[in-house]
């Protein structure tokens, strides 16, 4: 039997390989490998897709988050509130900037920050909130922005898994002060290497982000800040430029696949299996079910024996990571997050996943539980 992978980024190459080849060869022949027109064109195309005035390309989603923090002067002595149930980079970049990550428990049905718990975590040191639109599912941004406004806090959106997701009619990344995106190959808009983007509607933040990503240097060899080298290669920009017009189609395919998964799983009526909550604004970077009764790891292993590869995002919450032991969180601090980490299982999900493959995933699951 054929293997069903969790994602298959080579399928996009099979669809539009000729155009990608052409774009790559044009960059190679141009001799303009860093910066230049291709990068600035892609920046404005991406910003306009999100609806933002400014798009600032950089080397990764991680750098985007870090640079956003630096541009907003988040640093030593500041606290930034984020989710304990996310990829490490969300909290890591808060620490890299010199600030302290403060975690708040999540909601079981959305896997995102529980906004009802947010205000209790705000102190006089809190400078920003970093909502993470996990698995492609938008945080309730109107509610979050109202809290941020009331307490005069910056909002840095971690949109790494949610390019194109919509919260209350607005694309994520265009709602907070800075939106941070990743073009890691398995993200909804994935490059052929590392890449990232920041979006903002504030001209001053835009200017500072551009300076910071290039050695804190507004003019070559004159330095105003300690910045870094975080540029997007022209080659990646050219490849992403080819892919961007397909993003809505690919996201629609992900939506269809997720609806079909939910329908099939409900019909299969598998005990102790919870399907993800319906969410029309999600772009389904992951389709994540929960399996109770301590059976999750066993089910994952058995699926693997049948050549169906699933993923556990994430097995250990950030507040219990060894690197954060000095923050003083203990087991039991965030009961919803800790429970979810023991139950989540992300099923194979990519735009080209076929109905036959989906059927096999569901039938196999039903046979196992
Ligand atoms: C992928 C990811 C990042 C980091 O992006 P990179 O481009 O890999 O540096 C940050 N936050 C979340 C939630 C992610 O999934």
């Amino acid at each position: 039997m054929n293997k069903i992978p969790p994602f298959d980024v080579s399928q996009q190459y099979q669809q539009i390989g000729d155009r990608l080849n052409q774009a790559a060869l044009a960059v190679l022949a141009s001799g303009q490998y860093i910066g230049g027109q291709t990068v600035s064109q892609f920046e404005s195309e991406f910003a306009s897709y999100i609806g933002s005035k400014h798009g600032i390309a950089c080397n990764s989603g991680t750098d985007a988050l870090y640079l956003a923090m630096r541009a907003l002067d988040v640093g030593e002595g500041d606290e930034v509130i984020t989710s304990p149930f996310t990829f490490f980079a969300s909290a890591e970049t808060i620490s890299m900037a010199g600030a302290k990550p403060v975690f708040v428990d999540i909601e079981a049905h959305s896997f995102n920050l529980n906004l009802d718990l947010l205000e209790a975590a705000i102190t006089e040191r809190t400078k920003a909130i970093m909502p993470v639109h996990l698995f492609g599912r938008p945080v309730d941004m109107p509610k979050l922005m109202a809290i941020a406004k009331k307490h005069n806090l910056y909002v840095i959106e971690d949109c790494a898994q949610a390019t194109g997701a919509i919260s209350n009619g607005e694309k994520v990344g265009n709602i907070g002060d800075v939106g941070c995106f990743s073009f890691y190959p398995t993200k909804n808009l994935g490059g052929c290497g590392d890449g990232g983007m920041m979006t903002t509607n504030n001209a001053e933040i835009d200017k500072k982000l551009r300076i910071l990503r290039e050695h804190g240097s507004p003019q070559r060899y004159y330095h105003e800040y300690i910045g870094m080298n975080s540029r997007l290669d022209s080659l990646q920009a050219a490849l992403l430029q080819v892919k961007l017009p397909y993003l809505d189609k690919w996201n629609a395919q992900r939506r269809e696949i997720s609806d079909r998964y939910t329908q099939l799983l409900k019909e299969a009526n598998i005990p102790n299996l919870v399907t993800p909550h319906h969410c029309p604004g999600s772009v389904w970077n992951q389709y994540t079910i929960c399996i109770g009764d301590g059976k999750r790891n066993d089910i994952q292993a058995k699926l693997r024996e049948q050549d169906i590869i699933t993923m556990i995002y994430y097995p250990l919450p950030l507040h219990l990571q060894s690197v954060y032991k000095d923050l003083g969180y203990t087991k039991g601090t965030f009961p919803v997050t800790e429970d979810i980490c023991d139950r989540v299982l992300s099923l194979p999900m990519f735009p080209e996943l076929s109905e036959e493959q989906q059927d096999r995933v569901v039938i196999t699951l039903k046979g196992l539980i």
Side-chain angles (χ1 to χ4, degrees):
M1 233 186 284
N2 290 330
K3 191 170 250 175
I4 306 182
F7 41 78
D8 184 357
V9 294
S10 68
Q11 296 226 17
Q12 289 185 355
Y13 185 74
Q14 281 160 33
Q15 287 169 51
I16 54 168
D18 288 347
R19 302 195 52 197
L20 292 170
N21 289 346
Q22 255 175 25
L25 291 174
V27 172
L28 293 182
S30 77
Q32 175 85 51
Y33 302 144
I34 301 272
Q37 231 189 355
T38 312
V39 175
S40 51
Q41 266 174 9
F42 175 61
E43 285 179 332
S44 49
E45 286 163 13
F46 187 84
S48 115
Y49 174 78
I50 296 300
S52 295
K53 282 200 191 119
H54 311 281
I56 307 95
C58 64
N59 196 248
S60 69
T62 305
D63 283 3
L65 291 166
Y66 171 73
L67 288 164
M69 222 89 58
R70 289 288 315 280
L72 298 172
D73 272 328
V74 175
E76 209 70 51
D78 297 328
E79 294 177 356
V80 179
I81 299 175
T82 194
S83 171
F85 187 60
T86 171
F87 178 57
F88 183 56
S90 311
E92 182 184 35
T93 50
I94 297 171
S95 303
M96 281 163 65
K100 179 181 158 189
V102 171
F103 300 113
V104 166
D105 210 355
I106 60 166
E107 303 171 316
H109 76 275
S110 70
F111 305 121
N112 282 331
L113 274 178
N114 184 338
L115 300 182
D116 292 331
L117 304 176
L118 200 57
E119 282 198 278
I122 295 172
T123 72
E124 68 277 8
R125 289 171 180 263
T126 309
K127 187 136 180 195
I129 308 171
M130 183 197 288
V132 183
H133 308 291
L134 201 73
F135 302 153
R137 187 178 280 266
V139 170
D140 179 352
M141 288 305 287
K143 190 166 170 180
L144 183 137
M145 292 307 289
I147 299 169
K149 200 167 171 195
K150 180 173 159 200
H151 295 272
N152 200 20
L153 304 173
Y154 290 124
V155 174
I156 297 163
E157 293 181 72
D158 184 340
C159 309
Q161 299 183 8
T163 308
I166 289 169
S167 174
N168 196 39
E170 187 93 48
K171 288 235 173 81
V172 303
N174 194 33
I175 308 168
D177 295 282
V178 185
C180 301
F181 295 85
S182 166
F183 303 128
Y184 185 79
T186 62
K187 308 292 164 121
N188 291 54
L189 178 63
C192 305
D194 276 310
M197 182 79 78
M198 299 156 286
T199 51
T200 184
N201 288 304
N202 180 310
E204 264 173 63
I205 297 173
D206 167 61
K207 187 171 160 216
K208 192 157 173 195
L209 287 170
R210 286 180 196 284
I211 293 173
L212 283 169
R213 78 164 169 191
E214 209 144 351
H215 303 294
S217 163
Q219 184 190 348
R220 196 173 278 187
Y221 310 127
Y222 294 83
H223 305 269
E224 282 179 7
Y225 308 103
I226 301 299
M228 65 193 297
N229 171 0
S230 183
R231 298 174 292 232
L232 183 70
D233 292 341
S234 312
L235 201 53
Q236 289 307 330
L239 297 168
L240 288 162
Q241 228 183 345
V242 172
K243 286 189 171 195
L244 181 59
Y246 295 91
L247 179 60
D248 282 339
K249 182 184 129 198
W250 290 332
N251 281 345
Q253 286 173 299
R254 286 176 183 271
R255 240 175 237 128
E256 270 171 40
I257 290 167
S258 74
D259 285 347
R260 190 161 182 275
Y261 258 143
T262 298
Q263 192 198 329
L264 292 173
L265 286 167
K266 287 202 163 138
E267 282 165 13
N269 197 18
I270 304 169
N272 288 315
L273 186 151
V274 181
T275 53
H277 209 255
H278 182 66
C279 181
S282 174
V283 289
W284 299 97
N285 183 253
Q286 299 299 331
Y287 183 88
T288 304
I289 59 171
C290 288
I291 296 174
D293 261 2
K295 286 191 183 150
R296 191 262 322 264
N297 291 355
D298 189 39
I299 297 292
Q300 185 187 35
K302 286 185 174 147
L303 285 170
R304 181 177 287 272
E305 282 167 20
Q306 311 268 342
D307 267 345
I308 295 171
I309 315 300
T310 58
M311 304 294 283
I312 296 172
Y313 306 114
Y314 297 90
L316 184 66
L318 299 191
H319 67 287
L320 299 179
Q321 296 287 341
S322 62
V323 67
Y324 282 140
K325 62 181 180 300
D326 291 345
L327 292 179
Y329 293 105
T330 51
K331 214 166 159 98
T333 314
F334 300 125
V336 179
T337 299
E338 291 167 30
D339 172 54
I340 285 291
C341 285
D342 290 338
R343 294 197 290 132
V344 278
L345 190 68
S346 293
L347 302 184
M349 167 54 89
F350 47 93
E352 303 80 10
L353 187 75
S354 71
E355 294 196 350
E356 292 71 29
Q357 287 175 312
Q358 266 197 297
D359 292 345
R360 204 178 113 206
V361 171
V362 174
I363 289 164
T364 311
L365 256 174
K366 185 165 169 74
L368 291 175
I369 304 185

